[in-house]
């Protein structure tokens, strides 16, 4: 029986996750560079980036959930994809009011952080090297609470506020990819002894 939704073996899953985490890190680093370098001078470009970020997150969660045994087996990622698509639409509606946009990002950071933490905990035994994803999920939720507080102040935030959040995400994705690679090297070294 060939089940296309079967969970891949550990080595195949770790190879996928390394690629996935590296791709997410690169995207986020590029997004941050665009936000800091160009978007702060162009509201139109900033608006496009602000909608693009959660939309990309939705696509990434769909791809990972599908490659990791199917979305039915990865409910936290399916929920994260739906939430991220809703946030992309909510950001588009909230623009150009950056306080409202930051409030939307804050609520999303809390929800997606908790879902990411759940995904990391679920994967811990099967894949290992999930500590950075778990830490990232918790930190995302805390950042979301700060965003919601900031959104209620008189200070008008800019895209660079969100860029800091995206930068930490990129860092955690990179650390996760490197942790998986280090684990593979350790196992390979132990086998060759």
């Amino acid at each position: 029986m060939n089940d296309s939704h079967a969970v891949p073996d550990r080595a195949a899953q770790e190879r996928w996750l390394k690629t996935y985490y590296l791709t997410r890190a690169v995207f986020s680093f590029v997004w941050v560079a665009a936000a800091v370098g160009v978007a702060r001078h162009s509201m139109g470009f900033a608006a496009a980036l602000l909608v693009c970020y959660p939309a990309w997150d939705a696509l990434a969660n769909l791809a990972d959930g599908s490659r990791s045994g199917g979305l039915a087996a990865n409910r936290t990622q399916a929920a994260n994809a739906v939430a991220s698509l809703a946030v992309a639409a909510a950001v588009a509606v909230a623009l150009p009011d950056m306080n409202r946009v930051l409030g939307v990002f804050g609520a999303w950071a809390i929800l997606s952080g908790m879902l990411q933490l759940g995904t990391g905990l679920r994967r811990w035994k099967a894949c290992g090297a999930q500590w950075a994803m778990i830490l990232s999920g918790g930190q995302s939720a805390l950042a979301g609470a700060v965003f919601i507080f900031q959104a209620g102040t008189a200070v008008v935030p800019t895209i660079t506020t969100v860029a800091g959040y995206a930068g930490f995400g990129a860092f955690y994705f990179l650390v996760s990819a490197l942790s998986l690679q280090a684990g593979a090297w350790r196992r390979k070294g132990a086998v060759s002894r």
Side-chain angles (χ1 to χ4, degrees):
M1 183 171 132
N2 184 9
D3 184 1
S4 62
H5 293 296
V7 177
D9 65 45
R10 181 179 177 137
Q13 182 65 11
E14 286 185 359
R15 279 191 305 275
W16 159 250
L17 286 177
K18 272 191 300 191
T19 301
Y20 172 69
Y21 292 153
L22 281 174
T23 302
R24 295 228 34 192
V26 168
F27 176 89
S28 294
F29 283 130
V30 169
W31 189 94
V32 168
V36 172
V38 179
R40 61 189 176 130
H41 303 296
S42 166
M43 187 54 195
F45 190 59
L49 284 176
L50 288 166
V51 171
C52 175
Y53 192 74
W56 158 254
D57 190 76
L59 291 173
N61 273 290
L62 285 173
D64 185 29
S66 296
R67 288 285 302 262
S68 300
L71 293 174
N74 294 286
R75 290 189 179 110
T76 54
Q77 289 172 288
N80 213 342
V82 170
S84 296
L85 285 175
V87 165
V91 167
V93 169
L95 286 164
D97 184 335
M98 284 301 293
N99 287 82
R100 284 183 28 203
V101 167
L102 191 61
V104 170
F105 263 92
W108 176 54
I110 292 170
L111 177 59
S112 68
M114 292 293 94
L115 291 169
Q116 181 179 339
L117 189 138
T119 299
L121 288 172
R122 181 175 41 80
R123 284 183 167 160
W124 186 271
K125 286 184 182 179
C127 299
Q130 294 298 302
W131 64 269
M133 288 292 92
I134 292 167
L135 186 59
S136 176
Q139 187 171 346
S140 177
L142 290 174
V146 171
F147 282 175
I148 290 172
F149 172 78
Q150 288 176 327
T153 67
V155 177
V156 178
T158 66
I159 192 170
T160 56
T161 305
V162 177
Y165 169 76
F168 273 108
F171 169 76
Y172 283 121
F173 280 119
L174 182 59
V175 167
S176 293
L178 294 174
S179 294
L180 284 169
Q181 185 60 53
W185 285 335
R186 278 193 304 274
R187 284 191 301 278
K188 188 176 180 181
V191 169
S192 64
R193 285 185 202 154

